[in-house]
Amino acid sequence: MGKKVYRKRMIRKPIPIRKLLPNMITSGSILCGVMSLVLAFHGHLVPATWLTFMAAFFDLMDGKVARSLGGDSAFGVEFDSLADVVSFGAAPGMIFYISYLYAFGGVLGALATAFYVLCGALRLARFNVVHSSGRFQGLPIPAGGLFLMSFIASGVVLHPLIAMIIAIIAGSLMISSIPYGNLKHLSKDNINILRLLFLIGCFVTISVVFKEKIALVCASVYVLSGPLGIDWGRWLALRDEEEVADNQ
C-alpha cells in the first residue's frame, strides 16, 4: 500500500481586534484622502478641503486607539505613513494646485506641488527610521497638509506666485530639523488644566474675531511655533516626559 501523505493544514490565527481596529481607522483616513481628490476633480474644492480635515481626525484617533488597546505594530506604523502620503501629501498638494497654482501656467506650479509632496514623503520616511519620543523633527505632514488646506477653507485669495512660495516653505519645513511640539503624549493625568483653559479661551476669542479664517489662524500658529521655538506639548504638560525618562 502506498504511503499516505498527510498535508499539514495551515492554522490561521484570527487577527485580534486590538490590532485590527487601529488599521480600520487608518483606512478611514485613506478613504477621506481619495474622496477629497475625487471632489477636487469635479471642482468641489471646499468640500474636498474639509475631507482632509476629517482625515486628520482619523489620523489622530488611530494612534490613540492603538496605544489604548496595546495594538501598536510595525505594520500599523507603515500603513499609517502610506495613508499620510495620500491624505496629507498628494491630496492637499493637488487641491492646492487646482485652487491656486493651476493659473500659474507652465511647469513651475506643478513643480512646487511635486516639491511639497516629495518633502512630505521624505519626512515620513525619516520619521519611521529616526524614532523620537519627544518633539517632532520638522513640521509633521498632517500639519503641513492642513496648513495648505486652511487657505482654501478660509476663502483666502492668493496670487499664484505667493501660493507657490507657501507650498515650497511648507515642504522645506517638513524636511528641516526644526523641532515642533508633540501633543500626542498629553493625557488627562499630565496636562495643565489652567493653561488648557487659557488656550480654549484664546480659541473662542479668535473664532469670534476671525470667524471663517479660524482654521488658517490655528494652522499658522502651529507652523510658526517651530521657528519661534514654542513647544506646545511641553507648555501644556504638567511635567516634561523627557526629564522624567532621564531621571528613571
Side-chain angles (χ1 to χ4, degrees), residues 138-233:
L139 180 68
I141 187 173
L146 296 184
F147 176 60
L148 295 188
M149 294 299 91
S150 64
F151 287 93
I152 304 170
S154 301
V156 176
V157 178
L158 293 175
H159 187 277
L161 181 60
I162 301 299
M164 185 177 70
I165 294 173
I166 290 174
I168 293 174
I169 290 176
S172 300
L173 287 174
M174 287 192 291
I175 60 174
S176 71
S177 57
I178 297 175
Y180 277 85
N182 186 354
L183 304 178
K184 291 184 177 181
H185 297 292
L186 291 175
S187 63
K188 62 180 181 179
D189 298 324
N190 187 32
I191 190 169
N192 191 311
I193 301 299
L194 292 178
R195 290 182 175 181
L196 177 62
L197 292 176
F198 173 75
L199 276 186
I200 294 175
C202 291
F203 177 79
V204 173
T205 303
I206 293 172
S207 300
V208 173
V209 174
F210 291 95
K211 297 179 181 178
E212 71 276 1
K213 292 182 174 57
I214 178 62
L216 177 59
V217 174
C218 291
S220 300
V221 167
Y222 184 78
V223 170
L224 291 174
S225 67
L228 293 176
I230 302 173
D231 188 338
W232 294 108

Side-chain angles (χ1 to χ4, degrees), residues 17 19-30 58 62 79:
I17 188 65
K19 291 189 176 182
L20 184 61
L21 186 58
N23 294 328
M24 292 175 63
I25 298 175
T26 304
S27 299
S29 176
I30 297 178
F58 285 112
D62 63 358
F79 188 41

